Amino acid sequence: MERGEWDNQTLLIEFLLLGLGDAHELQTPLFFLCLTIYTVTMVGNMLIILLVVTDPHVHRPMYFFLVNLSSLETCYSSSILPRLLVSSLTGDRTISVQGCMAQFFFFGTFATSECYLLATMSYDRYLAICKPLHYSGLMNRKVCLQLVTGSWVVGLTISTGITSFISRQRFCGPNAIDHFFCEEAPLVELSCSDTGMIRILIIILSFPDVVFPFLFTLASYVCIIAAILRIPSSIGRHKAFSTCSSHLTMVIVFYGTLIIVYMLPRTVPLRQLNKLFSFFYTALTPLINPLIYSLRNREVKEALER
């Protein structure tokens, strides 16, 4: 290939997001579905933040982490849904290369930070149930701030590393991303550079990115369940389990859909199914988190009543 031909092929300035489907009659229902999900997500999470900040009865570490989780969920949704709303309304599915990398960066930052924040919340529940006498000393204000800051810093660091490597790839066509947002696997598939090194890097970074916080959360709940089963009275077991049931439900929903998305082979017949589960964990998970806490948590309901 001549040098000039190569240069022409590497001057991609935008990508085409294929979205959830090509059927024109589905664009209007999709727009109203996404608008409803985004509105309820923002209102629900902002309401939880407002309740926890203004009600002194819930000024405890568990709810401090909940405020940060709700903040993450609003950012998480805002990195995906507004762009999907615009494309559904206008039919314009193009996104600049810089805009695509920015969306990938912010999505990666918020997703990784959420993994670590969920792990932090599981550690908080572990201390509350397994070490109740030492809880107030171990989970003080300073420790809470350090854990939350660490979650955001780790997410920012890992996302910066992955985004910097992907942004250095050559994209020389085609420019169609078979997804509704700029996600890691479809972007790597479009690269015409040697992707061997970046695929190895992605596998390596998946351990601090997802695997480690998932295993930590899993280990915390193994210890929590073992401690609950040792409680002699059924009332005591129910009370102990109720303190972590909302968070456990969120963990199951978040990691369940995440594992399905990244374990499904990216073959052509399964791509629509992959996008469906991706929509679930990127759009619906931030929606159901405030619902889970408001419906299953007695103290949040009491704060709402007040």
Side-chain angles (χ1 to χ4, degrees), residues 75-227:
C75 297
Y76 192 63
S77 295
S78 298
S79 68
I80 302 293
L81 287 180
R83 182 66 187 78
L84 187 57
L85 281 169
V86 170
S87 63
S88 299
L89 183 64
T90 64
D92 182 12
R93 298 182 179 182
T94 60
I95 183 172
S96 67
V97 173
Q98 293 83 0
C100 187
M101 293 303 161
Q103 185 185 60
F104 175 75
F105 168 75
F106 286 114
F107 169 76
T109 298
F110 301 137
T112 304
S113 298
E114 181 162 350
C115 290
Y116 276 85
L117 190 57
L118 288 174
T120 296
M121 295 173 76
S122 70
Y123 175 64
D124 172 71
R125 293 300 84 205
Y126 163 78
L127 292 179
I129 293 173
C130 301
K131 300 182 182 295
L133 298 179
H134 305 284
Y135 177 75
S136 59
L138 293 172
M139 193 56 71
N140 54 50
R141 183 179 179 83
K142 181 180 178 181
V143 171
C144 291
L145 287 172
Q146 289 174 339
L147 290 172
V148 167
T149 303
S151 299
W152 284 90
V153 170
V154 171
L156 182 64
T157 302
I158 293 176
S159 183
T160 299
I162 296 178
T163 305
S164 64
F165 276 97
I166 290 182
S167 64
R168 292 194 188 105
Q169 296 293 297
R170 291 180 180 271
F171 297 101
C172 50
N175 70 337
I177 298 176
D178 192 8
H179 218 300
F180 60 90
F181 70 101
C182 294
E183 205 257 350
E184 182 180 284
L187 278 172
V188 173
E189 287 175 358
L190 291 183
S191 173
C192 56
S193 302
D194 182 8
T195 59
M197 184 59 69
I198 196 168
R199 290 180 189 275
I200 293 173
L201 178 69
I202 289 170
I203 293 173
I204 293 172
L205 288 179
S206 69
F207 284 88
D209 188 1
V210 177
V211 176
F212 173 72
F214 171 70
L215 293 178
F216 184 89
T217 304
L218 183 63
S220 297
Y221 272 103
V222 168
C223 296
I224 289 170
I225 293 171

Side-chain angles (χ1 to χ4, degrees), residues 51 85 233 283 290 297:
L51 286 174
L85 281 169
S233 68
N297 192 291

Side-chain angles (χ1 to χ4, degrees), residues 228 231 233-241:
I228 291 175
I231 298 175
S233 68
S234 59
I235 295 175
R237 288 195 297 270
H238 180 267
K239 184 178 180 180
F241 183 73

Side-chain angles (χ1 to χ4, degrees), residues 58-75:
V58 290
H59 286 180
R60 298 199 300 276
M62 174 182 176
Y63 297 102
F64 173 71
F65 295 136
L66 177 59
V67 165
N68 281 274
L69 180 64
S70 292
S71 301
L72 260 179
E73 299 290 28
T74 58
C75 297

